[in-house]
């Protein structure tokens, strides 16, 4: 396939070529994974759709929210593609090769549009983590000729479960850490001035129940701690506060306003023009702290936002990654993203830049990442010997965040590690000798530890034989 020249970053060009190679090979379902703010639309629109259109492929670009229809149309126009819209007011335009479609409209009209759907060669699914929702399978089956390209920053369901059977090959873009190191994302600093007591909060469908959360988090004392942290860490800088309910968002905006900041809450009940005005007010500096329950988690692109205030605890790694991803975008003059976490979300899910292990078959491996919180300044960070906030040093040595074998630990890290855990990781006599040397244990310990190891290995051998 011939590529149209366009200003893609080197990794975007490479990823677009990998996706095109999969499509050329006839792969039915390709999933492209790139962190929020990595520029997935540039890859998909400028790198992939531009090329397949040159080859005459009828293409459908599926979006799941109405606001994204016009936005996608503009992005396609920017690379010279005159696309048409399919929504409640528009049927497909027979003269157009590319259609931006509202998913709900297509689901509702797939019977009436069956002939047209059968001609589609490529279907691009934005925010592909939603493809497990009901109705997807049937919609994709209505396009039997179409190869699928799903795009997402979070390649698993909200509860961490796998995405299902719609994709067979994954194209992985750079990670958050790699994008940050290359200067394409801002480094994040996290402050945790408060840990909520979530012991009485019920969990339903994989996340904390909204009513219980509101009861715990919609609390003026917590909000005042948030205001103090904002004043101390990023005063007057544009920030988004993620709240537990609409009432909570309104109350937080009230208290920020009372403290002298320009603050407003947005929610789904608002008139869309009023809501857009509030969001653009944040970009223009008319608003300092925008508060919201769910509305600005996904798809809202405001690069100027320098901070996130977490007031909504979530068990969903997906929601956490979307919310933290909002603030990592680079913008002139912006040196870092500031996260003020009063929900313990970073404690539960790890730093925004932590690499997450997942697969199409098994979904996300939960709770992979340890962080520590400085008792002095409340900065939260991946384990390190020195607090990046106040430079206080700790006795605990720097350690990797996931430890499965002794090879991952330095001698000084081993010295501080619980002996029982080290012994459980030991696989050979040499491992035990190393523990004994580092911990300065007497020969008697080594003797008994060897016996315990032989017994453990013998038991594992037996279990494998009879498995
Ligand atoms: Zn500190």
């Amino acid at each position: 396939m011939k590529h149209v020249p366009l200003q893609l970053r080197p990794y975007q060009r490479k990823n677009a070529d990998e996706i095109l190679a999969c499509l050329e090979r006839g792969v039915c379902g390709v999933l492209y994974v790139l962190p929020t703010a990595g520029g997935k639309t540039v890859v998909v629109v400028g790198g992939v759709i531009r090329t397949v259109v040159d080859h005459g492929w009828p293409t459908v670009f599926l979006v799941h929210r109405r606001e994204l229809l016009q936005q996608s149309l503009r992005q396609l126009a920017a690379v010279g593609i005159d696309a048409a819209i399919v929504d409640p007011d528009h049927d497909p335009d027979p003269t157009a090769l590319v259609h931006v479609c509202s998913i709900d409209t297509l689901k509702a009209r797939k019977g009436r549009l069956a002939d047209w759907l059968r001609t589609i060669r490529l279907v691009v699914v934005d925010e592909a983590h939603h493809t497990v929702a009901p109705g997807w399978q049937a919609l994709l089956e209505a396009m039997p000729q179409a190869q699928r390209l799903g795009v997402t920053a979070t390649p698993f369901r909200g509860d961490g479960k796998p995405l299902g059977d719609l994709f067979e090959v994954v194209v992985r873009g750079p990670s958050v850490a790699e994008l940050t190191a290359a200067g394409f994302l801002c480094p994040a600093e996290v402050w945790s001035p408060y840990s909520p007591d979530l012991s009485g909060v019920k969990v339903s469908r994989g996340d904390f129940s909204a009513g219980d959360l509101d009861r715990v988090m919609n609390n003026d004392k917590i909000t005042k701690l948030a205001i103090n942290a904002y004043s101390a860490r990023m005063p007057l800088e544009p920030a988004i506060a993620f709240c537990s309910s609409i009432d909570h968002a309104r109350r937080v905006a009230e208290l920020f306003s009372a403290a002298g900041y320009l603050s407003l809450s947005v929610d789904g009940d608002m008139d869309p023009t009023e809501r857009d005005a509030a969001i653009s007010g944040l970009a223009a500096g008319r608003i300092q702290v925008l508060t919201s329950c769910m509305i600005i988690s996904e798809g809202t692109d405001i690069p100027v936002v320098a901070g996130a205030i977490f007031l909504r605890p979530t068990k969903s790694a997906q929601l956490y990654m979307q919310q933290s991803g909002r603030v990592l975008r680079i913008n002139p003059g912006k040196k870092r993203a500031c996260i003020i976490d009063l929900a313990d979300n970073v404690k539960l899910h790890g730093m925004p830049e932590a690499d997450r292990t997942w697969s199409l078959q098994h979904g996300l491996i939960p709770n992979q990442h340890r962080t520590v919180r400085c008792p002095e300044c409340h900065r939260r960070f991946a384990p390190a010997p020195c607090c990046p906030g106040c430079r206080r040093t700790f006795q605990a040595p720097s350690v990797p965040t996931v430890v499965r074998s002794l090879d991952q630990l330095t001698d000084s890290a081993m010295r501080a590690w619980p002996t029982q855990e080290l012994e459980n990781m030991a696989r050979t006599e040499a491992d035990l000798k190393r523990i004994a040397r580092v911990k300065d244990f007497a020969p008697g310990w080594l003797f008994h530890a060897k016996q315990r190891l032989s017994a453990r290995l013998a038991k594992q051998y037996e279990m494998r034989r009879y498995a």
Side-chain angles (χ1 to χ4, degrees):
M1 287 183 181
K2 180 174 124 279
H3 301 144
V4 172
L6 190 100
Q7 280 308 308
L8 270 70
R9 295 169 183 164
Y11 71 85
Q12 293 173 330
R13 177 79 273 158
K14 177 172 169 282
N15 292 163
D17 289 345
E18 286 165 340
I19 295 166
L20 288 167
C22 289
L23 296 176
E24 250 185 327
R25 252 183 17 240
V27 174
C28 281
V30 184
L31 185 66
Y32 178 44
V33 182
L34 186 70
T36 303
K40 61 188 163 73
T41 314
V42 177
V43 177
V44 169
V45 171
V48 178
I49 298 184
R50 180 65 264 178
T51 305
V52 300
V53 163
D54 288 345
H55 287 72
W57 286 27
T59 297
V60 153
F61 189 93
L62 290 180
V63 297
H64 72 279
R65 283 183 300 129
R66 284 193 79 162
E67 305 90 277
L68 296 176
L69 287 169
Q70 290 299 334
Q71 191 184 314
S72 309
L73 212 58
R74 281 195 299 274
Q75 285 156 342
L76 286 159
V79 297
I81 297 173
D82 208 3
I85 276 188
V86 179
D87 69 358
D89 306 323
H90 300 88
D91 266 348
D93 172 353
T95 64
L97 208 49
V98 180
H99 286 82
V100 182
C101 305
S102 137
I103 284 165
D104 292 333
T105 306
L106 278 203
K107 279 183 186 169
R109 295 192 192 162
K110 67 175 186 296
R112 187 151 70 76
L113 300 178
D115 288 345
W116 173 70
L117 286 170
R118 269 196 290 275
T119 66
I120 302 301
R121 287 286 306 277
L122 176 67
V123 51
V124 178
V125 186
D126 197 20
E127 309 290 0
H129 45 268
H130 293 297
T131 48
V132 284
W136 266 100
Q137 194 76 40
L139 175 57
L140 293 169
E141 277 165 14
M143 295 181 259
Q145 274 212 74
Q147 288 170 269
R148 292 185 284 274
L149 169 61
V151 188
T152 183
T154 51
F156 37 80
R157 294 191 337 196
D159 56 7
K161 295 268 165 29
L163 266 193
D165 311 323
L166 293 177
F167 304 100
E168 60 207 270
V169 174
V170 175
V171 172
R172 288 178 199 244
S175 65
V176 173
E178 287 164 339
L179 289 171
T180 308
F184 293 125
L185 290 179
C186 280
E189 61 175 51
V190 177
W191 305 92
S192 292
Y194 177 76
S195 278
D197 177 7
L198 301 171
S199 52
V201 176
K202 282 195 289 293
V203 174
S204 79
R205 282 184 293 161
D207 205 353
F208 297 116
S209 99
D212 282 5
L213 271 190
D214 185 65
R215 191 170 42 71
V216 174
M217 299 305 292
N218 193 353
N219 172 328
D220 290 356
K221 278 190 196 146
I222 302 176
T223 308
K224 282 175 185 157
L225 288 175
I227 295 171
N228 289 345
Y230 174 79
S231 309
R233 304 301 174 195
M234 50 173 314
L236 309 179
E237 289 183 70
I240 298 176
F242 296 98
C243 301
S244 301
S245 66
I246 293 177
D247 277 351
H248 184 206
R250 288 179 182 156
R251 181 64 183 153
V252 171
E254 249 172 59
L255 290 179
F256 264 98
S257 301
Y261 296 108
L262 304 167
S263 183
L264 208 64
S265 78
V266 291
D267 55 63
D269 297 345
M270 271 170 107
D271 176 63
T273 26
E274 215 179 312
R275 197 178 65 213
D276 291 349
I279 293 174
S280 57
L282 193 64
R286 290 192 304 276
I287 291 180
Q288 284 144 0
V289 181
L290 193 68
T291 73
S292 161
C293 173
M294 288 301 278
I295 201 86
I296 38 187
S297 298
E298 193 173 89
T300 313
D301 182 3
I302 323 169
V304 70
V305 171
I309 303 168
F310 290 156
L311 289 162
R312 183 221 196 277
T314 180
K315 285 179 97 68
S316 161
Q318 196 181 74
L319 183 60
Y320 166 71
M321 287 164 71
Q322 282 160 1
Q323 294 187 340
S324 54
R326 290 288 134 244
V327 297
L328 300 180
R329 279 177 203 279
I330 45 174
N331 203 49
K334 180 171 157 188
K335 295 209 167 42
R336 56 90 179 90
C338 183
I339 293 176
I340 297 170
D341 182 11
L342 296 99
D344 268 352
N345 287 344
V346 182
K347 182 181 180 189
L348 179 62
H349 300 289
M351 296 293 287
E353 70 275 16
D355 263 332
R356 287 167 175 82
T357 309
W358 56 271
S359 70
L360 280 180
Q361 295 74 34
H362 302 106
L364 179 74
I365 296 175
N367 308 331
Q368 303 171 65
H369 302 286
R370 294 194 345 170
T371 59
V372 290
R373 173 183 181 267
C374 173
E376 206 71 41
C377 71
H378 303 160
R379 178 87 177 243
R380 188 177 287 285
F381 50 98
C386 170
C387 168
C390 66
R391 297 280 143 206
R392 176 191 152 119
T393 52
F394 297 93
Q395 290 194 323
S398 170
V399 290
T401 46
V402 186
V403 176
R404 290 201 190 84
S405 98
L406 292 179
D407 299 337
Q408 289 172 269
L409 294 173
T410 60
D411 284 4
S412 66
M414 272 177 74
R415 222 163 276 132
W417 211 264
T419 305
Q420 190 58 56
E421 282 189 42
L422 293 175
E423 201 185 317
N424 291 344
M425 284 188 271
R427 296 283 171 272
T428 61
E429 207 178 295
D431 285 343
L432 292 175
K433 281 184 179 156
R434 182 170 167 224
I435 298 171
R437 175 177 58 76
V438 170
K439 293 261 189 185
D440 205 14
F441 287 148
W445 180 86
L446 184 61
F447 175 79
H448 291 291
K450 276 191 216 164
Q451 290 193 323
R452 287 192 293 268
L453 177 65
S454 322
R456 182 154 55 91
L457 294 178
K459 198 169 161 198
Q460 284 172 0
Y461 174 70
E462 285 300 302
M463 281 166 66
R464 273 200 298 273
R465 260 183 75 189
Y466 296 112

